[in-house]
Amino acid sequence: LKLIAIETHVADARSCCLHPASATHRQMNDDELIAAGITNNLVRLSCGLENAEDLIADIKQAEEQADFTVVCPHWGNEYHLEPNNLQKTIAQKLCDFGVDVIVGGHPHVVEPVDLISSTVSGKQTVCIYSTGNAVSNQFRQNMPNTSKKFPHVGQGASEDGVIFSVSFTKKGNGEVVLSGVNAMPTWMHYYWANGKNNYEIIPLDKEIDYVTKFNLKSVESKLDVSYNRTMGLVEAGIEKFNNQY
């Protein structure tokens, strides 16, 4: 299977106005891409939206070269648990262009998973609007002002993240179909030890006893809240996919 991932800035959090992004990744030559661990099986394009034609051209190129296409937009409003109208509009357009998977980021909290149907072909696209935070300093104790505006941040929402995975199957006739979607909640464990700040990403995998494995009995209640909050946001979209596939 050949994957193409497109990374793009599509809006800023305050005005939701389209704006250009760095073209750093486009400036890397083939040798530099290989040195960075980006092989020929993963063609990585990065663009800003000085105009929408940049992204459309990249998607068309991806569709010509790849078995499936993933777009990773930097979008949405910081600390909002739901996508805004611009995110939804862009997600629908990406689906209409034939993109297979959308993995969003920027809001610093987890946002829902959805299964979007193309208004052109009927093809469906899986979208997670935001995967939340991984390693960051946005733990609840460090954000008193933000927590006043967004109470869920004061309850730890900016410590939540998701390991989002999708599976594809290539049939004997060469057709590639999306065959699985999964989201594993994560929680950012911040603590002081040995004279320094420590940051750990804890996978909240119900198949293992992560409380004992990572010695987290003292924060077990926070883990439970984080898990339930994240699954409350992503579970419906995953079930929607499973019910259709």
Side-chain angles (χ1 to χ4, degrees):
L1 294 178
K2 189 174 184 181
L3 164 70
I4 287 186
I6 300 172
E7 299 184 359
T8 178
H9 286 58
V10 297
D12 68 41
R14 294 169 297 282
S15 63
C16 287
C17 295
L18 301 180
H19 69 85
S22 167
T24 302
H25 298 298
R26 271 192 171 169
Q27 296 169 358
M28 296 172 72
N29 61 38
D30 290 343
D31 291 338
E32 291 170 331
L33 288 169
I34 293 172
I38 302 169
T39 68
N40 291 332
N41 290 326
L42 173 60
V43 181
R44 187 167 185 235
L45 307 174
S46 181
C47 66
L49 287 186
E50 294 177 339
N51 58 69
E53 296 303 317
D54 289 344
L55 181 56
I56 294 170
D58 277 353
I59 292 172
K60 288 180 177 178
Q61 179 185 346
E63 292 294 322
E64 291 172 358
Q65 297 181 21
D67 290 305
F68 54 92
T69 308
V70 179
V71 173
C72 305
H74 178 274
W75 61 3
N77 296 92
E78 289 184 334
Y79 312 117
H80 285 231
L81 297 173
E82 296 290 336
N84 60 37
N85 288 334
L86 180 60
Q87 286 171 274
K88 294 178 182 179
T89 299
I90 292 173
Q92 183 63 61
K93 289 295 185 183
L94 292 173
C95 175
D96 291 345
F97 287 139
V99 169
D100 295 286
V101 179
I102 303 168
V103 182
H106 171 70
H108 301 294
V109 292
V110 176
E111 291 184 346
V113 172
D114 198 7
L115 187 64
I116 305 167
S117 296
S118 171
T119 60
V120 177
S121 66
K123 177 180 177 178
Q124 293 186 308
T125 300
V126 172
C127 172
I128 180 167
Y129 284 101
S130 175
T131 55
N133 274 338
V135 175
S136 83
N137 67 345
Q138 293 181 322
F139 48 90
R140 68 194 79 188
Q141 305 96 308
N142 202 33
M143 305 185 69
N145 294 329
T146 303
S147 298
K148 292 177 183 177
K149 186 175 181 181
F150 302 101
H152 52 271
V153 172
Q155 297 164 6
S158 58
E159 299 165 9
D160 302 342
V162 170
I163 299 173
F164 185 69
S165 59
V166 294
S167 302
F168 290 85
T169 299
K170 192 166 189 176
K171 297 182 179 180
N173 63 3
E175 180 186 7
V176 177
V177 295
L178 186 62
S179 54
V181 176
N182 186 53
M184 180 187 294
T186 63
W187 181 69
M188 186 194 68
H189 184 208
Y190 161 79
Y191 60 97
W192 176 267
N194 300 319
K196 63 180 181 180
N197 292 321
N198 293 267
Y199 302 84
E200 296 177 342
I201 300 175
I202 306 300
L204 304 183
D205 184 351
K206 290 298 186 179
E207 294 186 3
I208 65 173
D209 180 4
Y210 49 78
V211 173
T212 301
K213 182 179 178 66
F214 300 107
N215 192 26
L216 297 172
K217 190 65 178 178
S218 64
V219 293
E220 185 173 5
S221 62
K222 292 182 178 180
L223 298 176
D224 291 340
V225 170
S226 175
Y227 179 89
N228 291 330
R229 179 170 47 228
T230 296
M231 292 307 296
L233 290 165
V234 303
E235 195 167 34
I238 294 173
E239 288 181 356
K240 184 177 178 181
F241 173 88
N242 290 334
N243 288 337
Q244 295 194 37
Y245 291 87

